[in-house]
Amino acid sequence: MTARIGVYPGTFDPVTLGHMDIIRRGAKLVDRLVIGVTTNPSKSPMFTIEERMATVRREVADVDGDIAVVAFDSLLMDFAEGQGAKVIVRGLRAVADFEYEYQMAGMNQQINPRVETVFLMADVALQPIASRLVKEIALYGGNIGKFVPEAVCAEVVARVEKIGRKGS
């Protein structure tokens, strides 16, 4: 029997408790979950891809299941095919996410109909969390401890101290 491989793609800049929720739940749906760390040209990352991969690897170390963390800079469907994946795992937080993700799933289906997209609803308590908002809160000196793992919080705070806080 062939292993069911899934890909969970994202920038993970930084990895949030919402991401971790989807990773834990997604890992239960497949035999191997590949976390694809990418750079989105429309986003300005706070951390390098190497830093993000190291952070994700550290944070998933205690998650049950076969999990790999791999960088990619290509079409998602090409990456998924290269990983042997038959499933793309995506997290949904709100209606706005659904509209975007639905459109992306349709485009991806046109590119590679052999790979299905599976949507997981974020835990209700984690639905408002977005990496973009976490970075914004941190840049203005707010407490992000409720939104990211403890070690990630320390890394974001240290990076903000290095690059300078806004409003100060």
Side-chain angles (χ1 to χ4, degrees):
M1 188 170 146
T2 307
R4 292 169 299 159
I5 300 171
V7 167
Y8 178 39
T11 53
F12 304 102
D13 184 50
V15 65
T16 68
L17 294 176
H19 291 133
M20 294 304 301
D21 176 53
I22 299 300
I23 290 167
R24 281 188 187 87
R25 292 170 48 222
K28 294 176 185 175
L29 301 177
V30 294
D31 299 313
R32 179 176 178 79
L33 181 63
V34 178
I35 302 171
V37 181
T38 190
T39 299
N40 184 331
S42 68
K43 296 181 180 179
S44 300
M46 180 177 274
F47 296 97
T48 67
I49 196 159
E50 293 81 10
E51 290 170 325
R52 289 181 276 135
M53 288 180 58
T55 298
V56 173
R57 282 189 182 113
R58 180 192 66 228
E59 294 302 324
V60 301
D62 68 341
V63 176
D64 288 338
D66 182 3
I67 300 175
V69 180
V70 179
F72 77 102
D73 186 21
S74 63
L75 285 174
L76 173 58
M77 298 315 274
D78 291 342
F79 175 70
E81 184 92 14
Q83 295 297 313
K86 299 294 182 201
V87 175
I88 303 295
V89 175
R90 297 297 292 165
L92 294 176
R93 294 174 298 208
V95 173
D97 278 354
F98 178 78
E99 291 173 5
Y100 172 79
E101 294 293 346
Y102 183 78
Q103 183 178 22
M104 287 299 297
M107 295 292 285
N108 287 337
Q109 185 71 25
Q110 294 293 318
I111 293 169
N112 187 341
R114 296 174 302 282
V115 179
E116 292 293 334
T117 300
V118 174
F119 298 112
L120 296 177
M121 295 300 296
D123 181 285
V124 163
L126 304 174
Q127 283 183 2
I129 301 173
S131 293
R132 174 184 55 81
L133 297 175
V134 167
K135 288 186 288 190
E136 187 173 327
I137 291 166
L139 285 167
Y140 282 100
N143 182 355
I144 59 168
K146 295 179 186 177
F147 311 122
V148 295
E150 188 175 332
V152 173
C153 182
E155 290 168 348
V156 172
V157 168
R159 184 57 49 98
V160 167
E161 288 173 2
K162 183 178 177 182
I163 61 176
R165 221 173 74 191
K166 292 186 177 192
S168 53

